Amino acid sequence: MTELISADLIGSLNEQTRPAHEDDFGALGRQLARRGIDIEAQVARAMQWSVAIPTWGVGTGGTRFARFPGPGEPRGIHDKLADCGVIQQLTRGTRTVSPHFPWDEVSDYNALRQEAAQFGLGFDAVNSNTFQDQIDQTHSYKYGSLANASAATRAQAVAHNIRCIEIGKQLGAQAITVWIGDGTNFPGQQSLTRMYENYLSAMQDIYAALPADWSMFIEHKMYEPAFYSTVISDWGSSLIAAQTLGHKAKCLVDLGHHAPNVNIEQIVARLIHVGKLAGFHFNDSKYGDDDLDSGSVDPFRLFLVFNELVDAEQRGARDFRPAYMIDQSHNVTDPIESLMCSAIEIARARVQASLVDRKALAEAQEANDVLGAHRQLKAAFITDVSPILAEARRRQGGAHDPVAAYRAAAYRAQVAKDRPAIRGASSGIV
Amino acid sequence: MTELISADLIGSLNEQTRPAHEDDFGALGRQLARRGIDIEAQVARAMQWSVAIPTWGVGTGGTRFARFPGPGEPRGIHDKLADCGVIQQLTRGTRTVSPHFPWDEVSDYNALRQEAAQFGLGFDAVNSNTFQDQIDQTHSYKYGSLANASAATRAQAVAHNIRCIEIGKQLGAQAITVWIGDGTNFPGQQSLTRMYENYLSAMQDIYAALPADWSMFIEHKMYEPAFYSTVISDWGSSLIAAQTLGHKAKCLVDLGHHAPNVNIEQIVARLIHVGKLAGFHFNDSKYGDDDLDSGSVDPFRLFLVFNELVDAEQRGARDFRPAYMIDQSHNVTDPIESLMCSAIEIARARVQASLVDRKALAEAQEANDVLGAHRQLKAAFITDVSPILAEARRRQGGAHDPVAAYRAAAYRAQVAKDRPAIRGASSGIV
Amino acid sequence: MTELISADLIGSLNEQTRPAHEDDFGALGRQLARRGIDIEAQVARAMQWSVAIPTWGVGTGGTRFARFPGPGEPRGIHDKLADCGVIQQLTRGTRTVSPHFPWDEVSDYNALRQEAAQFGLGFDAVNSNTFQDQIDQTHSYKYGSLANASAATRAQAVAHNIRCIEIGKQLGAQAITVWIGDGTNFPGQQSLTRMYENYLSAMQDIYAALPADWSMFIEHKMYEPAFYSTVISDWGSSLIAAQTLGHKAKCLVDLGHHAPNVNIEQIVARLIHVGKLAGFHFNDSKYGDDDLDSGSVDPFRLFLVFNELVDAEQRGARDFRPAYMIDQSHNVTDPIESLMCSAIEIARARVQASLVDRKALAEAQEANDVLGAHRQLKAAFITDVSPILAEARRRQGGAHDPVAAYRAAAYRAQVAKDRPAIRGASSGIV
Amino acid sequence: MTELISADLIGSLNEQTRPAHEDDFGALGRQLARRGIDIEAQVARAMQWSVAIPTWGVGTGGTRFARFPGPGEPRGIHDKLADCGVIQQLTRGTRTVSPHFPWDEVSDYNALRQEAAQFGLGFDAVNSNTFQDQIDQTHSYKYGSLANASAATRAQAVAHNIRCIEIGKQLGAQAITVWIGDGTNFPGQQSLTRMYENYLSAMQDIYAALPADWSMFIEHKMYEPAFYSTVISDWGSSLIAAQTLGHKAKCLVDLGHHAPNVNIEQIVARLIHVGKLAGFHFNDSKYGDDDLDSGSVDPFRLFLVFNELVDAEQRGARDFRPAYMIDQSHNVTDPIESLMCSAIEIARARVQASLVDRKALAEAQEANDVLGAHRQLKAAFITDVSPILAEARRRQGGAHDPVAAYRAAAYRAQVAKDRPAIRGASSGIV
């Protein structure tokens, strides 16, 4: 295993924070014991958790207006794997990466798999890109890809997705996530129905190429890059597609891809009900697909999503095996720091949701003790579970405070020596 | 047939506006002919159209803050039928009414059916009310009806729905619309999943009581009266329910029941795609379920919905037999005037959508001539089809200008003599 | 002082929870000490805090669809004062009530003031009601009150507001809150400009009647009961009005009265910047003016609002003396329980915001250490400050757990013996 | 004058459509005469109208995901002027262009001014760009420009704005539009108040450099590129800034820069009320700042905005001299076609609003004849004023159907010969 951050440094920093941590951990343990909860079971549970990091997430993101790169930007997939390795080493809860093609193309995928393993990383769902044109591409995606009016363009997009599956097999992945930007900017630009039929037909071609043990994740998004209609704009459109395709197809929930005010946790509950929840792209949002850091704007919403997930897990909902990935755009922070904090905030919401007294909750619900039921959730949410998260990291070799350790290690300054600075106007997520 | 408004008055008013009408109608006919459209075919088509009036719509609506009744409020179902008769007599495009129980309960439904027939009216889908408590009710709907945690309350709500079906059979209706306000005001108040399961189970009991030739319309609504979660909050939840219940169950679209910014015409297209579009509750909205007059705030959205409907009709989409009803709350206008204008605006959108050159549209779409395709829709929308609508009314005995005729007839002042004035603070839709 | 809940009961319940409380309080004190914060100072600060209870808040609320009263509903202002007294006795952070006229009219306001004092309550801002018609009213508010097209109606509404000020003077209040529902349901219904001019003119008449030491709070609301336009729909319209009227006029922020996605804490910051922040109506919302319990849906937003308030307080912003009131609609809970919990959640957000290390925050901001700055806020928010709140209550004679004490005291069952049950369909906030 | 499109071609196309146009124009004239409106006066009024084209608008736009250029993209300001010249030649209602710096920098601005004049174009408000970094820039705008925590960065942004004013003076412009993307992506990232104070201070420095006859247009935007807070996020923040700066500073309204559901026409009315309406950036939107073609998604909203403008014009509102510009992102259409259509749709809304019978409207409003008032607006909106617009174009040398003439002239294919194709992945608005 490659040691990207000195284990000695981590150990010595943890030693400095040990007395405070032990005091907090002890007090929380006593409080939880009074509430009938074993803190050790919670630590063990936290240690099992992992969320995938998307390879593109370690690069600085941008908007259509501008992109402002930071120092030491990863030059390609190899640098990206190292950056993901740092996140995993310090947080110990991000054991896989999710690659994106053609961005992450290499000549030898077995070598790439071994390279990742050196950082303690495996490969999660592969992602196909048919929302941008590549230099050598025959047909443009300007007017769509899988839902394009042109059969030739659709076929090209299908072929790219099948190629992603082939690569994914070599990397040990078992799922492909299909997100397309297809849609329209004008009423009438395309037939809403014909676009959907074209999409379903193309997806069936991709589905046919899925290995037996693979899943297909369908990702819906309300808008952007299309601004009047989007083919898979909501979970209803995603569900019909998943039903049309078959049992390997499920619906992926990105927390930022919904209309304003929508109750996302109920969508999660509905997809669990029909056995079609593929998993999550975690982020936070205030306005649209803002791709902000998870839990940074509405941490209670994140908790309520996990409340559904823990509930489904504990009652043994059928076909319930969601995949978890962070999907954020880090425009003004060091992506490694943002991803570490986000991984922690996601884990925090899961531990908090695990503290809910589900028996008392069900009793209050059954008795229509509205406030009593609500207070069960709030009691879990206001609990500061930081000591559980820190302890779970420490026991696996991670840091009490990953950001402090990362800064102390000066990793960014180190890699910036080899990675050239990027200057000038650019924009978007290229 | 009872003559609520003097046919002589209508005729004499039409005679006054005849020269102007004929000039406009002639000019439009020549323009449409140049565009390859036969105006007579459009008049004939407009004459076939009808939209149902809800019996509760002829009473003044309100908000939780207040309700300000007007003069001559209908005292019960008999007055409501007369008011609906006026709307039909003047507009000739509202041939059915949709009743609501227990609000419209009478002792003899056959007599009621004949009474309606005297006004040229039949009965459309029946509506059940399990969102309010009645004086003699055993179980309260405070915490829900079909999705209540209590089996006894659910059974009571099921029984009421079955009773509505029984009444509907006597009235000649062939569908029941089920809308419930069930939901929660607090995270945790109820299990989102258990509420949905309870709802589905109760709906199956109602579904089992449906006659062979009946349909069940499931109406979704994002929020209100519940303000954190609603059991059937979106078309996805409605679709799963309709799929679970069977082929008689379909999804009803109320234009005001969606999240901000949602593309409603695409939802319509999706429901047509899966053969599950039940029909519409027409109104307009700016903020939420505002229940404003159809076409008063966003007439182009109404046109785009009809663009999907006419498209589906012309290509012969399977299982496509939508039901149409107006569902508005008339808080500051004379409900009869609002309903007449709304019926006209809905018919306007349909005629405009019928003018779209679908061959040229499809060609532009196929060629990705984005602006060319869009302009096909806009060309239809900016056409002033008022002369077609007026001619269709006139040929069936209606008025060129229904509001002018209604005001000239002084119907409201007449009925106000018999219908007592309502004073003082009250609120809501009671 | 009238003892509504037995002090002995409170004491004995506190004694039972004392060991757990002391363990938690001790641990939190040690943690805060490590963060450089004196827990005793925080307890003292929490003890100074108070938020007003609106008299109408102790009755069960409703929607336009229905209202489902609970047992023991207050029959009038005297019962309401008692219910508010219970809230204050148990939470010790709600020392004033805010009355509403004509709802709370009595013949002797001095007696009412003494009656309130017996419960430890004073009177906060008076509220005028010109959004409903009263039985004996000359002019209807159907088409508006202060912004009505009719000068006579405007004058009637002005007179009512001036009467509210007169009553308020007798009660010891020093402010009037003016919220009107005036607006339109149709484009064109009124001139948007003339309505505003009418409003400003009427408000000037009310302003002229303000005593020297009084303030006028202008409350904006995006929509409802008007559904196309509202005269004072946003803080911009409110600000111009406050500037037009004079220094006694300020802008009140109700957390549920904004467009979707709006950053409310920045509006608070802007109003502080111009010295025009009147204060708050606290509640929570997911869709519109849902009037849900404070902190029940988005507790981080509540924290962020208090982050601005504490910041303004600590840097001594000019003209910064906000008034605080809870304004919720309790449709499915016991209003007393909801108000106690809300008072606690509001106090929680304030204590959390008080823990922010503002020096470290400013340094991180100055250095553009984006994540570092954000983590300062999150560190404060995730702190479980319940022990500080409980201690502040206990030291003033309140309960560790107000809801538990309230339930143990069976107050609702007691008063339900004297207060008649309400049955049957009703709706709204009457 | 340079003839970009053959005047002969335009004349011959107009000749072909003349009979149909004359029939439609005649019929509309007769109808309007019956309504008391002189069509010739409307044609004359339409001929006076002009809206500015932004130089960047003739290039293909994009999103953060991708940008798909079309053939014949303008290579720089000279090509852009030619493209704008085509728009003006065919529509005759776009007599000015609005430049953007540093994008449009040249060495000789007098020459540029003459070059534009050759196309019949003058220069409108200049636009400064401090939301992107330029290659040679000392300080980055990553964390903001005019509101940056760093005084040096603010000074650099101020200097750029002053330089834009200097350039503008040479071009004959009389206004500068200041839009900044400054804001935050995280709660706590910056002090909301300090950012605003920094902004105001920097703006005062720019304001001090304004010539006596210049105006400063402040443009607010809810979000993007910042996704948690934006310094000038709403018209309230813009208004305070304009008040702080002085009478030359006014508030610009971009139709896509508001929260969901907001009533924009009322904001327009409020800014007119306080004499602070700077003008407009026209576009349409469904979700956010979609920058769609004007009138393509909600044409009635555009009409309602012009209803306020025409009303203000006719009653002689003080300080009412709005500037008009189109601001759209043309991602999937030929920008020239989109801009021509948008210019027509904007002119259409203005002519429709000019048809409103304001006397009858005011009477209905005064009488609270709600529906009657509303119908006055709808009567104007449903009028097909295309013949007036076509006639106004024709009389000035433009085309009956500008898009048809543009396509017939094959302008794009011509210029594509000289303008190199752009290939490969790129994104945004660079």
Side-chain angles (χ1 to χ4, degrees), chain C residues 279-318:
Chain C
F280 290 86
H281 279 186
F282 288 116
N283 51 60
D284 211 335
S285 69
K286 184 157 184 63
Y287 305 102
D289 186 28
D290 308 330
D291 278 333
L292 299 180
D293 283 19
S294 297
S296 65
V297 168
D298 192 347
F300 191 48
R301 178 167 54 190
L302 187 60
F303 166 83
L304 291 172
V305 166
F306 272 100
N307 181 50
E308 295 304 319
L309 297 175
V310 172
D311 178 65
E313 176 192 343
Q314 296 192 357
R315 63 183 157 83
R318 80 185 156 90

Side-chain angles (χ1 to χ4, degrees), chain B residues 346-393:
Chain B
I346 294 163
R348 179 190 310 280
R350 181 168 172 270
V351 171
Q352 289 172 322
S354 304
L355 300 185
V356 173
D357 184 338
R358 295 200 179 269
K359 188 163 167 295
L361 176 65
E363 285 169 3
Q365 290 171 342
E366 201 60 32
N368 282 315
D369 177 4
V370 174
L371 205 70
H374 174 65
R375 288 177 84 212
Q376 291 294 339
L377 291 198
K378 286 304 279 293
F381 178 70
I382 63 174
T383 307
D384 181 359
V385 300
S386 307
I388 294 172
L389 299 169
E391 184 67 11
R393 284 194 297 274

Side-chain angles (χ1 to χ4, degrees), chain A residues 187-192 194 228 230-231 233-237 243 263 265-266 270 308 315 365 368 373-374, chain B residues 187-194 228 230-231 233-237 243 263 265-266 270 308 365 368 373-374:
Chain A
Q189 174 178 342
Q190 282 299 335
S191 157
L192 301 177
R194 223 153 35 231
Y228 164 65
T230 292
V231 177
S233 63
D234 53 14
W235 75 274
S237 297
Q243 290 173 336
N263 186 321
E265 53 271 26
Q266 183 162 281
R270 291 293 173 270
E308 295 304 318
R315 63 182 157 82
Q365 290 171 341
N368 282 315
H374 174 65
Chain B
Q189 175 178 343
Q190 282 298 336
S191 155
L192 300 176
T193 296
R194 218 146 46 225
Y228 163 66
T230 293
V231 176
S233 63
D234 52 15
W235 74 275
S237 297
Q243 290 174 335
N263 186 320
E265 53 270 28
Q266 183 163 281
R270 292 291 173 271
E308 295 304 317
Q365 290 171 342
N368 282 315
H374 174 65

Side-chain angles (χ1 to χ4, degrees), chain A residues 46-51 88 92-97 120-122 396:
Chain A
M47 290 170 69
Q48 291 152 9
W49 172 255
S50 181
V51 62
Q88 164 59 4
R92 303 288 163 165
T94 62
R95 299 187 193 100
T96 53
V97 298
L121 300 171
Q396 298 177 91

Side-chain angles (χ1 to χ4, degrees), chain A residues 159-405:
Chain A
H160 173 67
N161 274 276
I162 292 174
R163 172 156 170 68
C164 288
I165 295 171
E166 291 308 312
I167 295 172
K169 285 197 277 191
Q170 297 177 61
L171 292 175
Q174 289 193 296
I176 181 169
T177 298
V178 182
W179 173 70
I180 58 167
D182 292 47
T184 67
N185 275 6
F186 287 82
Q189 174 178 342
Q190 282 299 335
S191 157
L192 301 177
T193 296
R194 223 153 35 231
M195 283 194 95
Y196 194 55
E197 291 168 349
N198 285 341
Y199 167 83
L200 291 176
S201 171
M203 285 290 272
Q204 281 168 324
D205 293 344
I206 302 167
Y207 190 88
L210 279 182
D213 57 347
W214 271 53
S215 297
M216 173 183 265
F217 300 162
I218 303 170
E219 184 173 356
H220 64 271
K221 181 174 177 178
M222 193 197 196
Y223 70 99
E224 195 206 29
F227 291 113
Y228 164 65
S229 74
T230 292
V231 177
I232 305 297
S233 63
D234 53 14
W235 75 274
S237 297
S238 178
L239 176 64
I240 294 173
Q243 290 173 336
T244 303
L245 292 170
H247 72 280
K248 293 179 199 167
K250 294 191 171 182
C251 306
L252 188 85
V253 176
D254 181 300
L255 297 185
H257 288 189
H258 302 86
N261 300 347
V262 158
N263 186 321
I264 299 172
E265 53 271 26
Q266 183 162 281
I267 292 175
V268 172
R270 291 293 173 270
L271 288 172
I272 294 172
H273 170 86
V274 285
K276 283 290 192 189
L277 178 65
F280 291 87
H281 279 185
F282 288 116
N283 52 59
D284 211 334
S285 70
K286 185 157 183 64
Y287 305 102
D289 186 27
D290 308 331
D291 279 332
L292 300 180
D293 283 19
S294 298
S296 65
V297 168
D298 192 348
F300 192 48
R301 178 167 55 188
L302 186 62
F303 166 84
L304 291 172
V305 166
F306 272 100
N307 182 50
E308 295 304 318
L309 297 175
V310 172
D311 179 64
E313 176 193 343
Q314 296 192 356
R315 63 182 157 82
R318 81 182 155 88
D319 289 330
F320 180 73
R321 291 179 304 278
Y324 302 105
M325 191 185 91
I326 298 176
D327 188 7
Q328 302 173 168
S329 183
H330 310 105
N331 302 355
V332 290
T333 56
D334 181 323
I336 291 176
E337 293 192 4
S338 268
L339 285 162
M340 291 194 301
C341 287
S342 295
I344 293 169
E345 292 310 304
I346 295 163
R348 178 190 310 280
R350 181 167 173 270
V351 171
Q352 288 173 322
S354 303
L355 300 186
V356 172
D357 184 337
R358 297 203 175 268
K359 186 162 170 296
L361 176 65
E363 286 170 2
Q365 290 171 341
E366 201 62 32
N368 282 315
D369 176 4
V370 173
L371 205 70
H374 174 65
R375 289 178 83 211
Q376 291 293 339
L377 292 198
K378 286 304 280 292
F381 178 70
I382 62 175
T383 307
D384 182 359
V385 300
S386 306
I388 294 172
L389 299 169
E391 184 68 10
R393 284 194 298 273
R394 189 195 61 77
R395 290 191 190 175
Q396 298 177 91
H400 274 157
D401 185 340
V403 170

